[in-house]
Amino acid sequence: MFSVTEMREFELFSVEHIATFLVFLAICFLLVFFRKGLKPYKQAIKWTLFSILLISEISHQIWVVATNQWGVEDLPIQLCSFSTFIAMFLFLKSNNKLFHLLFFIGFIPPILSMVTPEMHYSFPHYRFLKYFLHHAAIAWAVLYFIFYEGYRVPRKAILTSFLFANVIAAPIFFINILLDTNFFYLANPTETKTILSFFGSGIWYYINLELAALFVFWITYIPMGMLLKRDKVRA
């Protein structure tokens, strides 16, 4: 049995943390390199991912309410929630432009969140399991749409998606001021030590945040560009 103290003390790069991340990578590998064998189970994969995303959002709200911890910061308007809702919509209805945005905000950002998570609970606490499964499912959904539904992203989408993300972030910035929250981490870096902790403060925090986002978008696109070239050769 785990004591309450043990359940609450998350340790960065602990055995549990590394093992969980390796499981995530292994499933990414399976989804991509064994996709031909998994194609007959496409519908099962689709609805499994949809269910994980839906249950993650709902169960979080139930847990914070049940434990008397709910606050305005628990409103589902964090970046991962936006990615979740976009992915769930795409599971129900095709939309290329929405996928472009999901591709850039729903793959590397969740992975970075798993590498340096804002986490206080260790395995096997619900928050640990929900956090990693939720973020993993967002990234898996992106892979699903690319390799099982045939979605592709043009190079011009790097800039258009970056601008669209900023349009979404603008009202979130003012919501943070109004509610004293930190949605999209636009008010300040995370409380725990993460990559955002190195972005400085004040105006430099926002400059570095924008530069990092643009860099991540560009890096994210590299394998997509390679995939498009391969598709062109095979055509």
Side-chain angles (χ1 to χ4, degrees), residues 152-172:
R152 296 294 184 265
V153 181
R155 183 180 299 176
K156 64 181 181 180
I158 298 175
L159 182 58
T160 56
S161 296
F162 176 74
L163 294 175
F164 190 24
N166 274 272
V167 169
I168 295 173
I172 300 296

Side-chain angles (χ1 to χ4, degrees), residues 33-216:
F33 293 99
F34 290 87
R35 58 186 179 277
K36 290 183 179 179
L38 292 172
K39 279 289 177 69
Y41 307 99
K42 175 181 169 180
Q43 289 299 311
I45 296 171
K46 171 183 177 178
W47 294 115
T48 297
L49 292 173
F50 181 92
S51 299
I52 292 173
L53 294 173
L54 179 62
I55 292 171
S56 293
E57 288 291 344
I58 293 176
S59 66
H60 173 77
Q61 297 299 321
I62 293 173
W63 187 82
V64 291
V65 169
T67 56
N68 296 313
Q69 297 184 56
W70 192 91
V72 289
E73 68 275 4
D74 292 299
L75 290 170
I77 51 178
Q78 284 285 16
L79 188 61
C80 66
S81 291
F82 266 85
S83 299
T84 295
F85 297 141
I86 292 173
M88 289 172 60
F89 178 86
L90 290 172
F91 278 125
L92 301 174
K93 185 177 178 62
S94 299
N95 188 303
N96 287 322
K97 290 185 179 179
L98 265 183
F99 177 73
H100 296 171
L101 180 62
L102 177 65
F103 175 71
F104 291 110
I105 70 172
F107 191 66
I108 288 185
I111 293 176
L112 293 177
S113 294
M114 287 187 282
V115 173
T116 57
E118 186 181 16
M119 173 62 56
H120 301 287
Y121 299 86
S122 67
F123 180 86
H125 194 279
Y126 157 77
R127 290 296 295 269
F128 179 99
L129 297 173
K130 180 266 175 189
Y131 183 95
F132 283 97
L133 186 58
H134 189 181
H135 285 79
I138 295 171
W140 291 333
V142 172
L143 293 177
Y144 169 86
F145 289 125
I146 293 171
F147 292 103
Y148 294 78
E149 297 290 351
Y151 277 91
R152 296 294 184 265
V153 181
R155 183 180 299 176
K156 64 181 181 180
I158 298 175
L159 182 58
T160 56
S161 296
F162 176 74
L163 294 175
F164 190 24
N166 274 272
V167 169
I168 295 173
I172 300 296
F173 177 84
F174 292 104
I175 289 174
N176 284 334
I177 295 175
L178 180 65
L179 301 179
D180 191 26
T181 50
N182 192 24
F183 297 123
F184 279 42
Y185 302 113
L186 293 177
N188 48 66
T190 53
E191 293 181 5
T192 55
K193 196 77 170 178
T194 66
I195 293 172
L196 295 178
S197 304
F198 300 97
F199 281 18
S201 59
I203 188 64
W204 283 109
Y205 176 70
Y206 295 106
I207 291 174
N208 288 329
L209 199 61
E210 290 281 16
L211 291 174
L214 192 56
F215 178 72
V216 167

